[in-house]
Amino acid sequence: MQTSPDGSTRRAPGSALSIAERLRSASERPAPAETVGALIVIAVELDACDSVGVVGAVGAPSGRAVAPALATDDLAADADRAQCERADGPSLAAMRSGRPVIAVDLDADPAWADACAPAPVGALLAVPLDPGNPLGALTLYSRAPRDFSDEDRALAETLAAHVCVALRHGDAIDTLRRAVDSRTVIGQAQGILMERHRITAADAFAALVRCSQNRNVKLAVLAQELTATGTVDGLATALGRLSPGATPGA
């Protein structure tokens, strides 16, 4: 363990071997969203930050906007979303300039603090995914002021490079966002069924899958229908088959 300048206790940075193993494991994931998700959590696991977010450019080059792509938790998600809505902030600055942006104490940097508000960010380190191309940025967030070390910066840049490889196709950010949005709405639909019928997450997911197959409708579309209307044709039957104790009427 080691003590950071803000007085908090941190683990010493992981060895090159452990980081390499984590990177290799992340790169073996079958889908870009899973790869990026496994990559960004490495920084949190190694105590380089509290939260990590990725933003990326979407749309044609002539009319590109920047949108949140993936985050480890609500802190990064909220900070990324705030910046993208304002079209300004440290993450976007790193993406556009091709250079890292570091703020060790946002209380002393009101411009960046306002850009990330209302997320409770104390410090951040934003690095471009590709210094030569405004593809996106990866940002390490800390809830408290933090003097990011050379090791933290090296880790952030390494992760950004691997995220860039995972998103090397031009439409990858859009694909990633759709995958994340799909998982979110499916999770919301699961939660509705779990609360309504007192069933497990596995049973709720299985019922959604069976219903989507029976109706030949994509799972995310079915989940969106349930979250929007509270009911889905054929779901009661699927619930009855998978969970005999479930109450019909979905």
Side-chain angles (χ1 to χ4, degrees), residues 64-147:
R64 278 190 165 183
V66 184
L70 198 62
T72 57
D73 61 17
D74 289 343
L75 174 64
D78 291 345
D80 286 350
R81 185 181 306 109
Q83 294 178 71
C84 291
E85 289 175 351
R86 292 174 172 83
D88 185 36
S91 301
L92 279 65
M95 167 186 161
R96 291 164 177 162
S97 69
R99 298 189 299 272
V101 173
I102 302 176
V104 301
D105 185 354
L106 262 68
D107 285 341
D109 198 336
W112 284 162
D114 288 345
C116 295
V121 179
L124 59 84
L125 165 59
V127 296
L129 297 184
D130 181 354
N133 179 26
L135 173 66
L138 177 147
T139 306
L140 308 188
Y141 293 102
S142 173
R143 295 182 183 276
R146 179 186 183 117
D147 187 8

Side-chain angles (χ1 to χ4, degrees), residues 9-185:
T9 303
R10 299 169 51 192
R11 284 200 310 267
S15 69
L17 179 59
S18 68
I19 294 173
E21 289 172 342
R22 291 166 187 261
L23 293 172
R24 186 178 303 109
S25 175
S27 68
E28 293 172 351
R29 302 300 176 97
E34 294 180 22
T35 297
V36 175
L39 285 168
I40 62 177
V41 77
I42 291 174
V44 178
E45 293 173 344
L46 294 179
D47 286 341
C49 59
D50 294 320
S51 182
V52 184
V54 175
V55 298
V58 295
S62 59
R64 278 190 165 183
V66 184
L70 198 62
T72 57
D73 61 17
D74 289 343
L75 174 64
D78 291 345
D80 286 350
R81 185 181 306 109
Q83 294 178 71
C84 291
E85 289 175 351
R86 292 174 172 83
D88 185 36
S91 301
L92 279 65
M95 167 186 161
R96 291 164 177 162
S97 69
R99 298 189 299 272
V101 173
I102 302 176
V104 301
D105 185 354
L106 262 68
D107 285 341
D109 198 336
W112 284 162
D114 288 345
C116 295
V121 179
L124 59 84
L125 165 59
V127 296
L129 297 184
D130 181 354
N133 179 26
L135 173 66
L138 177 147
T139 306
L140 308 188
Y141 293 102
S142 173
R143 295 182 183 276
R146 179 186 183 117
D147 187 8
F148 290 98
S149 66
D150 291 341
E151 289 83 1
D152 294 336
R153 175 169 169 171
L155 177 61
E157 291 176 342
T158 298
L159 295 176
H162 281 77
V163 168
C164 184
V165 171
L167 303 178
R168 59 187 175 275
H169 300 296
D171 61 350
I173 291 289
D174 282 332
T175 301
L176 177 58
R177 292 181 66 220
R178 286 195 295 270
V180 173
D181 289 344
S182 294
R183 289 206 309 274
T184 298
V185 74

